[in-house]
Amino acid sequence: MSSFGPMFGLLVMSLCFSFSSSMTHEMMRGMLYSETEIHLPIDKSEQISAECNSTLQNLTDKTAILKDALDAAGKPGAGLSAGNINMLGHFDECDNIDDFKYCMIILNVNHSNVGGLQLPVTYGLCVPEECSEGDVVSGIEIFFEGLENMFHIPLANIQSVICTSHPHHRFDWKFKLTLTFFSLLFLLVVLSSLYHAWYHSPACKSVQYAPLDEQGILHQHENNSPEQVLPDASASITAEVLPGTDIRTDEEESNTVRFQRRKEGPYLKIFNQIVFSFALPQNLPKLLSVKVSKESISCLHGIRVISMLWVILGHVFSISSTTAIMNPLTGLVWLSRYGFLTVSNAFFSVDSFFVMSGLLVTYITLKQLKKRQGKIPWHWFYFHRYWRLSPALAATMLFYIYITPYFGHGPYAEALSVRSSCPKYWWTNLLYINNFYPISGNTMCIPWVWYLANDMQFFIISPLILIPLYYIPWVGLCLIGTLCLASISITGVLVGIYDFPAASMNFQTDPQSHASFSDVIYNKPYCRITPYLAGMVLGYILYKYPKKSIKIHWTVALTAWIVACGIGYACIYAVYPNYNGHPWSRAGNILYEAFCRFAWGVSLTWVIFACHYGYGGWVNSFLGHPLWAPLGRLTYTAYLLHPIMILLFISHEGTVMYLSIALTSFYFAGITLISYGCAAILSLMLEFPLVGLEKIFLPRN
């Protein structure tokens, strides 16, 4: 028997309790009271390193240290039959033991009460630093094979072992380079803001302004000192800053010298524009402004923010549920609740963004085509889109790959700091092909940006629809209809082939098929384009018919509201029987999955149409309120950053998570607040400045 025996022999009781659901009473009684020795396979002991063996042998004489290590290991708690089978142990206690490290082990346990299915169990173990992850795997396999040889029944197998190192990541050159980049960017914003403040200060204006004579000719004084050039600079500057207010008397007016700013050279002017693009005094008012253009579609601000909150809500529940949970059966009860489908079926929030994207691309581009008589520089059309999306995405990837791994401290920190896919596939995000390559969504670098790939692909093909829509509208509309039918047909065929159920959370299918709903349908543009196309049709209508030009009888408008609300309601709640023992037939699943996204797009397009043309009532007053505008400007950066905030939260979890609607609501509120705060920082440091630079260097036409 290997020297792993002393430690794992002491752990046997806690492990046996954790696997009690897969062991009979006779097996447990035999282990507890029988004098039969458990014979461990000797040949596998050679797989354990000599350093680990030696350290474990020395532990037999260090009772206090061994006691602390065993105390820090996971042990079963109350509620095993309620699903409390995860035992993380005590991370901090293990972390404080010299020359020991925490290992998180995920085991697939055979559960006799659920038809022989394997349940994942997360187990925490405190082992010496000299023992590698391979040593831990070998030791546990030795232990399990001994039990299986004794009772002739398979108990469990190891899915993964991740041990925390000290520190779990070292500060390599990539971290230092990324930190330097963000530090320089921050410094640029600070210096630009200081320069902007100085440039608009009275001291700077006293140097840059010169007096005019009675004929309005610039007066050049022999001595250019500010005191002699501007004897009363403060009064004139006040008048210039506040042109609508003049509180001077007639006598003061007659004695006041008029001033004009000296003309800047072209290079100095461009330099100031570049610097001011990064200045907070210039960008912050733009972010916080509640002014909305009269030509804008005001209700989109509210829809954009609410949809983003819906996305965050769904991610808070779904990502948190992937961790070790104390009461997982409670989560299953939630899924069976009718009202909880608002959370579990939050995927339609993404389709809302597709609708708005298709609407705005069509509406804005058709207006530009009309303004320029059908001539648009399409290379700038594409460059503008890439310039607006890619820098913030690249900065998010840098932050996620090279900075966030150093933030975590807890059982999940090491596992969540792994970025194995990013060195291989980071470039697919910047080329917006990450929904096709890599093939599996599990190997994506930043998997939540699959949406950007779809949206960019829709944008790339949009001129093929927009040009016919502008010159020969019926051709463009027929093309949209054809694409919708093709997408609906493809989605239905794929659902039928893979037999996917119409249940929102069933992303995985039969394990033998090695296919998932996410990879086959959810991430693919040919299955997601229908709401985008619905938005394009609405964009054409808004372009063709100005506000208040469409008159609808109130009964027709009311009927349309009822139908649209009914369609949206059915999209979210129609899958309720699938969670309550009444699954749909294959035909029902095909019909739902084929039409639900298109139906949601049609429902939302009516809401926007009605609000824009004056048939929205209080709905339009709510969605179109100017206070939505500042949050709406942060939608893109909040979308990029909020999953990182969730993962950072989980990486500091030290215990098994307890599912509670109230607690999760607090998590949602906190993560939303932090996400939007970080989104504001990223927008002010990168997104807004790059918009300003684009206006400087890109031709206005």
Side-chain angles (χ1 to χ4, degrees), residues 337-372:
R337 292 179 180 175
Y338 194 79
F340 193 75
L341 285 168
T342 306
V343 178
S344 61
N345 221 359
F347 308 109
F348 288 107
S349 59
V350 180
D351 296 302
S352 299
F353 283 106
F354 284 137
V355 170
M356 290 185 284
S357 183
L359 161 63
L360 292 174
V361 167
T362 305
Y363 179 65
I364 295 173
T365 306
L366 290 179
K367 289 178 63 177
Q368 294 298 317
L369 283 168
K370 182 179 181 181
K371 182 179 179 181
R372 294 178 169 82

Side-chain angles (χ1 to χ4, degrees), residues 173-448:
W173 67 270
K174 298 176 183 177
F175 167 81
K176 296 175 183 177
L177 185 62
T178 305
L179 188 61
T180 301
F181 166 75
F182 283 110
S183 300
L184 291 176
L185 184 61
F186 177 76
L187 182 62
L188 176 60
V189 172
V190 172
L191 294 178
S192 300
S193 302
L194 293 175
Y195 178 74
H196 184 280
W198 173 82
Y199 184 85
H200 293 85
S201 66
C204 176
K205 288 186 176 182
S206 67
V207 176
Q208 296 190 22
Y209 279 75
L212 300 174
D213 60 17
E214 294 180 357
Q215 286 75 33
I217 300 175
L218 183 66
H219 174 69
Q220 296 291 343
H221 199 279
E222 293 180 359
N223 188 338
N224 288 329
S225 64
E227 291 80 3
Q228 293 185 356
V229 174
L230 293 179
D232 190 16
S234 60
S236 61
I237 291 170
T238 302
E240 193 243 354
V241 174
L242 301 174
T245 59
D246 191 352
I247 58 175
R248 294 173 292 176
T249 63
D250 294 339
E251 181 179 357
E252 291 172 331
E253 180 67 32
S254 63
N255 295 328
T256 300
V257 183
R258 292 181 299 155
F259 301 96
Q260 175 178 306
R261 186 187 290 272
R262 290 192 178 95
K263 187 176 181 181
E264 296 177 341
Y267 296 107
L268 179 59
K269 183 178 180 180
I270 293 177
F271 171 79
N272 287 336
Q273 289 176 339
I274 294 174
V275 173
F276 292 163
S277 296
F278 290 87
L280 285 178
Q282 180 166 298
N283 292 327
L284 189 58
K286 295 179 182 178
L287 172 61
L288 300 179
S289 174
V290 295
K291 293 182 180 179
V292 179
S293 172
K294 293 182 180 180
E295 296 183 358
S296 66
I297 308 169
S298 58
C299 65
L300 292 185
H301 294 294
I303 296 174
R304 187 179 290 115
V305 176
I306 293 173
S307 298
M308 190 67 248
L309 295 177
W310 199 9
V311 170
I312 297 175
L313 179 65
H315 282 164
V316 167
F317 276 87
S318 61
I319 297 178
S320 299
S321 65
T322 60
T323 63
I325 298 174
M326 180 182 295
N327 53 337
L329 297 183
T330 300
L332 296 178
V333 173
W334 288 356
L335 291 177
S336 64
R337 292 179 180 175
Y338 194 79
F340 193 75
L341 285 168
T342 306
V343 178
S344 61
N345 221 359
F347 308 109
F348 288 107
S349 59
V350 180
D351 296 302
S352 299
F353 283 106
F354 284 137
V355 170
M356 290 185 284
S357 183
L359 161 63
L360 292 174
V361 167
T362 305
Y363 179 65
I364 295 173
T365 306
L366 290 179
K367 289 178 63 177
Q368 294 298 317
L369 283 168
K370 182 179 181 181
K371 182 179 179 181
R372 294 178 169 82
Q373 299 179 346
K375 298 179 180 179
I376 283 185
W378 294 107
H379 57 290
W380 292 121
F381 175 82
Y382 289 117
F383 176 82
H384 169 78
R385 186 69 168 184
Y386 193 86
W387 179 260
R388 293 295 299 271
L389 295 182
S390 301
L393 173 60
T396 302
M397 286 198 295
L398 286 175
F399 180 74
Y400 173 74
I401 298 171
Y402 299 120
I403 301 295
T404 57
Y406 300 92
F407 285 175
H409 179 78
Y412 300 103
E414 186 78 25
L416 294 178
S417 67
V418 176
R419 306 286 185 265
S420 58
S421 299
C422 288
K424 299 179 182 178
Y425 304 116
W426 62 269
W427 55 273
T428 63
N429 292 343
L430 296 179
L431 293 180
Y432 299 97
I433 59 172
N434 49 299
N435 57 337
F436 284 105
Y437 183 81
I439 297 176
S440 174
N442 295 329
T443 55
M444 284 185 187
C445 177
I446 312 187
W448 59 91

